[in-house]
Short mmCIF file of all heavy atoms in Angstrom, two decimals:
data_model
loop_
_atom_site.label_atom_id
_atom_site.label_comp_id
_atom_site.label_asym_id
_atom_site.label_seq_id
_atom_site.Cartn_x
_atom_site.Cartn_y
_atom_site.Cartn_z
N ASP A 48 4.07 19.23 -13.60
CA ASP A 48 3.63 18.14 -12.73
C ASP A 48 4.04 16.78 -13.33
O ASP A 48 4.51 15.93 -12.57
CB ASP A 48 2.07 18.16 -12.55
CG ASP A 48 1.63 19.34 -11.74
OD1 ASP A 48 2.51 19.92 -11.05
OD2 ASP A 48 0.41 19.63 -11.70
N ILE A 49 3.89 16.64 -14.65
CA ILE A 49 4.24 15.34 -15.30
C ILE A 49 5.76 15.14 -15.13
O ILE A 49 6.23 14.09 -14.78
CB ILE A 49 3.93 15.41 -16.77
CG1 ILE A 49 2.46 15.57 -17.04
CG2 ILE A 49 4.41 14.14 -17.49
CD1 ILE A 49 2.11 16.17 -18.39
N GLY A 50 6.51 16.25 -15.37
CA GLY A 50 7.98 16.17 -15.27
C GLY A 50 8.37 15.76 -13.84
O GLY A 50 9.22 14.88 -13.65
N HIS A 51 7.80 16.44 -12.91
CA HIS A 51 8.13 16.12 -11.51
C HIS A 51 7.79 14.71 -11.18
O HIS A 51 8.60 13.99 -10.56
CB HIS A 51 7.43 17.13 -10.59
CG HIS A 51 7.56 16.85 -9.11
ND1 HIS A 51 8.76 16.63 -8.54
CD2 HIS A 51 6.63 16.64 -8.17
CE1 HIS A 51 8.63 16.31 -7.21
NE2 HIS A 51 7.29 16.35 -7.03
N ALA A 52 6.62 14.30 -11.52
CA ALA A 52 6.16 12.88 -11.22
C ALA A 52 7.09 11.91 -11.83
O ALA A 52 7.49 10.93 -11.20
CB ALA A 52 4.70 12.73 -11.71
N TYR A 53 7.45 12.11 -13.12
CA TYR A 53 8.31 11.15 -13.78
C TYR A 53 9.75 11.18 -13.17
O TYR A 53 10.33 10.10 -13.03
CB TYR A 53 8.35 11.35 -15.26
CG TYR A 53 9.13 10.31 -16.03
CD1 TYR A 53 8.62 9.01 -16.12
CD2 TYR A 53 10.39 10.58 -16.50
CE1 TYR A 53 9.38 8.02 -16.76
CE2 TYR A 53 11.10 9.60 -17.18
CZ TYR A 53 10.60 8.34 -17.28
OH TYR A 53 11.32 7.35 -17.85
N ASP A 54 10.17 12.35 -12.87
CA ASP A 54 11.47 12.53 -12.29
C ASP A 54 11.61 11.64 -11.00
O ASP A 54 12.65 10.96 -10.76
CB ASP A 54 11.78 14.00 -11.96
CG ASP A 54 13.19 14.22 -11.39
OD1 ASP A 54 14.15 13.57 -11.94
OD2 ASP A 54 13.35 15.02 -10.52
N VAL A 55 10.58 11.69 -10.20
CA VAL A 55 10.63 10.87 -8.95
C VAL A 55 10.38 9.37 -9.24
O VAL A 55 11.20 8.54 -8.83
CB VAL A 55 9.48 11.39 -8.02
CG1 VAL A 55 9.38 10.51 -6.78
CG2 VAL A 55 9.89 12.85 -7.59
N LEU A 56 9.31 9.09 -9.97
CA LEU A 56 8.95 7.69 -10.11
C LEU A 56 9.87 6.86 -10.97
O LEU A 56 9.93 5.64 -10.84
CB LEU A 56 7.50 7.56 -10.61
CG LEU A 56 6.42 8.28 -9.71
CD1 LEU A 56 5.04 8.16 -10.27
CD2 LEU A 56 6.48 7.70 -8.28
N SER A 57 10.57 7.54 -11.88
CA SER A 57 11.44 6.79 -12.75
C SER A 57 12.77 6.40 -12.06
O SER A 57 13.55 5.56 -12.55
CB SER A 57 11.77 7.57 -14.05
OG SER A 57 12.43 8.75 -13.63
N ASP A 58 12.96 7.00 -10.89
CA ASP A 58 14.13 6.65 -10.12
C ASP A 58 13.72 5.66 -9.02
O ASP A 58 12.94 6.01 -8.16
CB ASP A 58 14.71 7.91 -9.49
CG ASP A 58 15.97 7.72 -8.68
OD1 ASP A 58 15.96 6.76 -7.85
OD2 ASP A 58 16.93 8.49 -8.94
N ALA A 59 14.26 4.51 -9.09
CA ALA A 59 13.83 3.38 -8.20
C ALA A 59 13.87 3.78 -6.73
O ALA A 59 12.96 3.54 -5.99
CB ALA A 59 14.69 2.10 -8.49
N GLN A 60 14.99 4.50 -6.38
CA GLN A 60 15.17 4.89 -4.97
C GLN A 60 14.11 5.92 -4.54
O GLN A 60 13.56 5.87 -3.49
CB GLN A 60 16.60 5.37 -4.74
CG GLN A 60 17.57 4.17 -4.67
CD GLN A 60 19.02 4.69 -4.69
OE1 GLN A 60 19.32 5.53 -5.52
NE2 GLN A 60 19.83 4.13 -3.85
N LYS A 61 14.00 6.89 -5.45
CA LYS A 61 13.06 7.98 -5.11
C LYS A 61 11.63 7.45 -5.03
O LYS A 61 10.85 7.83 -4.17
CB LYS A 61 13.15 9.10 -6.18
CG LYS A 61 14.40 9.95 -6.10
CD LYS A 61 14.21 11.16 -7.07
CE LYS A 61 15.54 11.63 -7.50
NZ LYS A 61 15.43 12.75 -8.51
N ARG A 62 11.36 6.54 -5.97
CA ARG A 62 10.00 5.98 -5.97
C ARG A 62 9.74 5.16 -4.69
O ARG A 62 8.66 5.30 -4.09
CB ARG A 62 9.85 5.00 -7.12
CG ARG A 62 8.41 4.49 -7.35
CD ARG A 62 8.30 3.66 -8.66
NE ARG A 62 6.99 3.01 -8.74
CZ ARG A 62 6.63 2.26 -9.73
NH1 ARG A 62 7.47 2.00 -10.71
NH2 ARG A 62 5.36 1.74 -9.78
N GLN A 63 10.73 4.52 -4.24
CA GLN A 63 10.72 3.77 -3.01
C GLN A 63 10.40 4.72 -1.79
O GLN A 63 9.58 4.45 -0.96
CB GLN A 63 12.00 3.07 -2.81
CG GLN A 63 12.01 2.03 -1.69
CD GLN A 63 13.42 1.54 -1.40
OE1 GLN A 63 14.32 1.71 -2.25
NE2 GLN A 63 13.65 1.05 -0.20
N VAL A 64 11.15 5.78 -1.78
CA VAL A 64 10.97 6.83 -0.71
C VAL A 64 9.49 7.44 -0.73
O VAL A 64 8.82 7.56 0.23
CB VAL A 64 11.96 7.98 -0.79
CG1 VAL A 64 11.67 9.05 0.17
CG2 VAL A 64 13.34 7.42 -0.64
N TYR A 65 9.07 7.71 -2.04
CA TYR A 65 7.76 8.29 -2.16
C TYR A 65 6.69 7.36 -1.78
O TYR A 65 5.75 7.73 -1.01
CB TYR A 65 7.53 8.71 -3.64
CG TYR A 65 6.21 9.31 -3.89
CD1 TYR A 65 5.89 10.60 -3.43
CD2 TYR A 65 5.21 8.57 -4.58
CE1 TYR A 65 4.61 11.14 -3.63
CE2 TYR A 65 3.94 9.12 -4.85
CZ TYR A 65 3.66 10.37 -4.34
OH TYR A 65 2.41 10.90 -4.56
N ASP A 66 6.80 6.10 -2.10
CA ASP A 66 5.76 5.08 -1.79
C ASP A 66 5.69 4.99 -0.25
O ASP A 66 4.62 4.85 0.32
CB ASP A 66 6.14 3.74 -2.40
CG ASP A 66 5.86 3.71 -3.87
OD1 ASP A 66 5.23 4.64 -4.39
OD2 ASP A 66 6.27 2.72 -4.55
N GLN A 67 6.80 5.08 0.38
CA GLN A 67 6.89 4.92 1.83
C GLN A 67 6.47 6.08 2.63
O GLN A 67 5.76 6.03 3.61
CB GLN A 67 8.32 4.44 2.20
CG GLN A 67 8.33 3.45 3.38
CD GLN A 67 9.78 2.97 3.55
OE1 GLN A 67 10.63 3.04 2.55
NE2 GLN A 67 10.10 2.50 4.73
N TYR A 68 6.98 7.29 2.18
CA TYR A 68 6.77 8.50 2.96
C TYR A 68 5.94 9.59 2.30
O TYR A 68 5.63 10.62 2.87
CB TYR A 68 8.13 9.11 3.37
CG TYR A 68 9.01 8.16 4.07
CD1 TYR A 68 10.12 7.68 3.42
CD2 TYR A 68 8.78 7.79 5.40
CE1 TYR A 68 10.97 6.78 4.08
CE2 TYR A 68 9.69 6.94 6.05
CZ TYR A 68 10.80 6.37 5.38
OH TYR A 68 11.62 5.56 6.01
N GLY A 69 5.64 9.38 1.06
CA GLY A 69 4.94 10.47 0.29
C GLY A 69 5.88 11.60 0.02
O GLY A 69 7.09 11.46 0.06
N GLU A 70 5.26 12.74 -0.44
CA GLU A 70 6.12 13.90 -0.86
C GLU A 70 7.01 14.38 0.28
O GLU A 70 8.10 14.91 0.01
CB GLU A 70 5.20 15.07 -1.31
CG GLU A 70 4.50 14.83 -2.62
CD GLU A 70 5.17 15.49 -3.82
OE1 GLU A 70 6.39 15.77 -3.68
OE2 GLU A 70 4.51 15.70 -4.83
N ALA A 71 6.57 14.26 1.47
CA ALA A 71 7.32 14.69 2.64
C ALA A 71 8.69 14.08 2.69
O ALA A 71 9.71 14.71 3.11
CB ALA A 71 6.58 14.40 3.89
N GLY A 72 8.77 12.81 2.26
CA GLY A 72 10.04 12.12 2.26
C GLY A 72 10.97 12.62 1.25
O GLY A 72 12.19 12.41 1.32
N LEU A 73 10.42 13.34 0.24
CA LEU A 73 11.27 13.82 -0.85
C LEU A 73 11.86 15.24 -0.63
O LEU A 73 12.80 15.62 -1.26
CB LEU A 73 10.50 13.83 -2.18
CG LEU A 73 9.96 12.50 -2.63
CD1 LEU A 73 9.02 12.69 -3.80
CD2 LEU A 73 11.06 11.59 -3.02
N SER A 74 11.18 15.96 0.24
CA SER A 74 11.64 17.35 0.45
C SER A 74 12.96 17.38 1.20
O SER A 74 13.40 16.40 1.69
CB SER A 74 10.54 18.10 1.29
OG SER A 74 10.41 17.46 2.49
N GLY A 75 13.50 18.56 1.17
CA GLY A 75 14.79 18.68 1.85
C GLY A 75 15.87 19.16 0.94
O GLY A 75 16.97 19.55 1.42
N GLU A 76 15.58 19.26 -0.34
CA GLU A 76 16.56 19.84 -1.22
C GLU A 76 15.87 20.80 -2.14
O GLU A 76 14.75 20.63 -2.51
CB GLU A 76 17.32 18.79 -2.00
CG GLU A 76 18.65 18.45 -1.39
CD GLU A 76 19.42 17.48 -2.19
OE1 GLU A 76 19.78 17.93 -3.31
OE2 GLU A 76 19.72 16.39 -1.73
N ALA A 77 16.65 21.85 -2.56
CA ALA A 77 16.08 22.82 -3.42
C ALA A 77 15.74 22.24 -4.81
O ALA A 77 16.19 21.12 -5.10
CB ALA A 77 17.03 24.01 -3.57
N GLY A 78 15.10 23.06 -5.60
CA GLY A 78 14.83 22.56 -6.95
C GLY A 78 13.39 22.18 -7.16
O GLY A 78 12.74 21.77 -6.17
#
Side-chain angles (χ1 to χ4, degrees):
D48 289 347
I49 298 158
H51 173 52
Y53 185 70
D54 184 40
V55 173
L56 300 179
S57 62
D58 182 310
Q60 282 169 315
K61 288 190 204 175
R62 186 173 175 182
Q63 192 191 336
V64 174
Y65 178 72
D66 286 350
Q67 216 172 337
Y68 305 107
E70 289 261 22
L73 301 169
S74 59
E76 263 186 60

